[in-house]
Amino acid sequence: MASCNGNIHQEGIEKREPTPLEKHVMFFDIDKNGIIYPWETFQGFRKIGSGIFLSIFASFFINFGLSRKTRPGKWPSLIFPIEVKNIKFAKHGSDSGVYDSEGRFVHEKFEEIFKKHARSNGNALTGQELDELLKANREPNDRKGCIAALSEWKILYFLCKDKHGLLGKETIRAVYDGSLFDQMAKEHQSKKKKATSSS
């Protein structure tokens, strides 16, 4: 009877669904232990097709910038781990507001990006429109937030713009819901296989 009660108790424990913001970074948690180290960030960027230089820069910039914020009450670590469950604490200013304070997706804010800034194509942003978005979101005296927002959007634009220089709405949505990086990794792996088979 005790073991039955124990099983019922265990089955009754609800496993919390990750927030969209957590899903956004979980791709880089290579060993799925809830912690992202710089070498995992590097591996993640390589998996989606980034060059070595960008992958090194991203692994340092991202982990250095986010580690301490996601480890409240803990001593700083020289290996700069990021705790996925606390990624909401790493939200910065001067952003789009598409994630709320708990890391949830705010549909109205997402649509607002395109209503306000996607003038040449209602479902995509040009490089110039992206610059205007960054300028519009800039908060006074928020240098760190501005740098973080600029880096995130510029890397996304560099990696994901199409041949016409457009960053598509569905691509941006996939960033926010956490599915983009898996898609990019599969596409990169497919390209590598084709290149290997044709050589």
Side-chain angles (χ1 to χ4, degrees), residues 4-24:
C4 287
N5 287 338
N7 287 339
I8 290 169
H9 177 70
Q10 285 183 350
E11 287 172 9
I13 296 172
E14 289 186 27
K15 190 173 180 182
R16 184 178 66 83
E17 177 73 13
T19 66
L21 181 54
E22 288 168 4
K23 290 177 182 177
H24 172 73

Side-chain angles (χ1 to χ4, degrees), residues 17 26 28 31 38-39 43 47 51 53 59 73 79 105 108 115 125 132 136 148 151 177 183 198:
E17 177 73 13
M26 283 169 68
F28 298 94
D31 59 8
W39 50 90
Q43 290 174 56
K47 281 172 72 174
F53 178 77
S59 62
I79 53 175
F105 182 81
E108 294 78 13
K115 286 176 184 173
L125 296 174
E132 290 168 5
S151 302
D177 69 23
Q183 292 172 24
S198 63

Side-chain angles (χ1 to χ4, degrees), residues 53-118:
F53 178 77
L54 177 57
S55 300
I56 292 172
F57 169 79
S59 62
F60 175 79
F61 181 82
I62 291 170
N63 283 73
F64 180 78
L66 304 187
S67 177
R68 191 165 183 182
K69 294 177 181 177
T70 66
R71 304 174 73 247
K74 296 181 182 178
W75 286 98
S77 170
L78 293 177
I79 53 175
F80 305 116
I82 295 170
E83 295 191 12
V84 174
K85 67 180 181 180
N86 292 328
I87 194 65
K88 65 182 181 182
F89 299 131
K91 261 179 58 66
H92 56 79
S94 301
D95 70 354
S96 61
V98 175
Y99 291 127
D100 69 11
S101 60
E102 293 298 313
R104 294 170 298 214
F105 182 81
V106 183
H107 180 74
E108 294 78 13
K109 287 288 185 182
F110 176 75
E111 292 295 335
E112 197 175 279
I113 290 173
F114 300 91
K115 286 176 184 173
K116 286 185 175 180
H117 303 287

